[in-house]
Amino acid sequence: MTKAIGAILAAVVLLAACASAPAKKPVDEKQDAYNAAAKAAVTGEKAPVANNPAAAAVQGKPATADSASQPASGDSSDVSDADKKFIQNFLTNLHYMVYFNEKSGLDVFLAKSAVGQADRYLLQQGRDVIDFDQIVRNKNDQKSAYQTEVGESMDMIQFIAQKLNADVYVELDAQTQGSDRNGKFYGDANITARMFETSTATLLGSVTYKSPTTMSASSSQDAVTNALVAGVWAMMPKIIDQSRTQMAARVQSGIKFELVVQKTPDARTMSQFRRNLAKKMRDVEQISSSPSETRYYVYYFGRLQEVEDAVYDAAQKVTGLENLYQVYSRGKSITFNTGL
């Protein structure tokens, strides 16, 4: 009898817990689906396709009726094996640029140490790095180009990241504290890393870390530096994993390129150009149009040079655009002039 009563009470508790558990929101289910697809793109595992347009895109299978919730840019249900291979290679070889938040007031020596530690981790992973001094040199050398090309419409660090062809730039920030007790020095660091997609400055994620207290026999700065670099090293795997997962979700319809065409007074001519270009790309989205310039987002599984070739081919088939020429390019952005 006692066992029977215990079983009944357990069942009542279980039912009450189920009744009180909040129902999973549809938006959570959709986000879970895209996260599963992103993870599949990173790890190579297959994500469930049912009611998951993102998984269908990655695996190259037809999506269900829920695919209406996909981003409008491109039909991702027909991703070829070659395109899937390109996605895998792209995610495996993401190019990172690490710098620090200049507005935080972090000591430059500490900032350089933190960035250097992040670069060392990336080098150990077999990746190319853009070191601290190279970023500083580019900031000094590119000031006039920055003013001419973007006119402060974007952050200088984003501009440099584009110039240096980084896919992701990481901004490090830290609050540090040093102390001394009984002739020994101690250091602590609270570190934040924010990851951005370079072409749009979209936030990909944020990682925080509180370092264990470190000790030094020489100085407080040495103790603080040890805490900071140890913390950055511990954070790097999560920084890479989080940014890769988010990038995987963003490239399911193609790598996003920005295309700017200067001097475009004839809207009908530019409409024909856009239709011609769309035949070679996965999608072409017009962002703005004026007599001075027309801007597009182009989605394509390939390199900037291939987009450039496609632009020339499309322009050659439109009367009036035969003399279109490139003005400059940076990262995943390319600017042409019609010559009109």
Side-chain angles (χ1 to χ4, degrees), residues 249-303:
R250 294 173 188 279
V251 301
Q252 58 177 301
S253 296
I255 308 300
K256 185 178 181 180
F257 298 89
E258 182 186 46
L259 169 62
V260 180
V261 184
Q262 298 173 341
K263 295 186 179 179
T264 56
D266 187 347
R268 187 183 298 273
T269 297
M270 297 312 297
S271 176
Q272 181 60 53
F273 166 77
R274 177 180 53 79
R275 292 196 298 271
N276 289 348
L277 183 60
K279 295 175 184 178
K280 293 179 175 291
M281 304 288 103
R282 288 192 59 87
D283 193 29
V284 178
E285 178 185 355
Q286 183 172 305
I287 304 304
S288 64
S289 178
S290 71
S292 61
E293 69 174 29
T294 301
R295 290 179 174 266
Y296 306 93
Y297 284 145
V298 176
Y299 298 85
Y300 178 67
F301 291 118
R303 304 298 178 187

Side-chain angles (χ1 to χ4, degrees), residues 7-255:
I8 292 170
L9 290 173
V12 170
V13 172
L14 178 61
L15 287 171
C18 292
S20 62
K24 197 167 190 179
K25 297 179 182 179
V27 67
D28 293 333
E29 293 175 353
K30 184 188 297 183
Q31 187 59 50
D32 287 346
Y34 278 94
N35 288 343
K39 181 180 178 182
V42 173
T43 63
E45 299 174 357
K46 289 188 177 181
V49 176
N51 297 320
N52 186 348
V58 172
Q59 297 180 28
K61 297 181 179 180
T64 65
D66 285 347
S67 62
S69 64
Q70 289 188 85
S73 55
D75 177 10
S76 58
S77 64
D78 60 344
V79 180
S80 68
D81 289 341
D83 289 341
K84 285 188 284 186
K85 183 177 180 180
F86 179 87
I87 292 174
Q88 290 288 342
N89 289 336
F90 175 77
L91 295 173
T92 300
N93 298 294
L94 284 175
H95 193 192
Y96 290 82
M97 186 185 90
V98 184
Y99 201 55
F100 75 106
N101 179 6
E102 294 180 309
K103 298 178 182 178
S104 68
L106 184 64
D107 177 80
V108 175
F109 173 81
L110 291 176
K112 188 171 183 179
S113 298
V115 173
Q117 185 76 328
D119 288 342
R120 277 191 289 275
Y121 184 92
L122 292 169
L123 283 170
Q124 189 180 80
Q125 299 297 309
R127 299 174 184 272
D128 294 331
V129 301
I130 302 166
D131 67 25
F132 188 95
D133 292 333
Q134 185 179 359
I135 297 171
V136 172
R137 285 195 302 271
N138 272 270
K139 283 182 61 182
N140 295 330
D141 295 343
Q142 297 289 336
K143 283 183 180 178
S144 57
Y146 172 66
Q147 293 288 341
T148 301
E149 295 181 25
V150 299
E152 297 187 357
S153 62
M154 71 171 63
D155 185 81
M156 180 67 167
I157 294 301
Q158 181 191 357
F159 178 79
I160 296 301
Q162 288 185 355
K163 279 286 187 183
L164 297 176
N165 206 31
D167 300 301
V168 177
Y169 69 93
V170 181
E171 181 185 78
L172 297 177
D173 200 351
Q175 298 295 321
T176 60
Q177 182 176 355
S179 61
D180 62 276
R181 297 189 301 274
N182 301 321
K184 294 181 180 179
F185 303 93
Y186 299 87
D188 297 277
N190 292 316
I191 312 165
T192 301
R194 296 197 299 166
M195 299 82 75
F196 299 89
E197 194 275 322
T198 299
S199 63
T200 61
T202 302
L203 181 67
L204 297 174
S206 178
V207 178
T208 59
Y209 185 82
K210 178 176 175 58
S211 73
T213 299
T214 57
M215 184 186 72
S216 171
S218 57
S219 69
S220 177
Q221 185 181 49
D222 189 47
V224 167
T225 302
N226 291 340
L228 182 60
V229 298
V232 169
W233 187 271
M235 295 169 71
M236 286 304 295
K238 192 170 184 179
I239 289 171
I240 291 176
D241 181 64
Q242 194 174 122
S243 57
R244 286 178 65 193
T245 299
Q246 292 299 317
M247 288 292 284
R250 294 173 188 279
V251 301
Q252 58 177 301
S253 296
I255 308 300

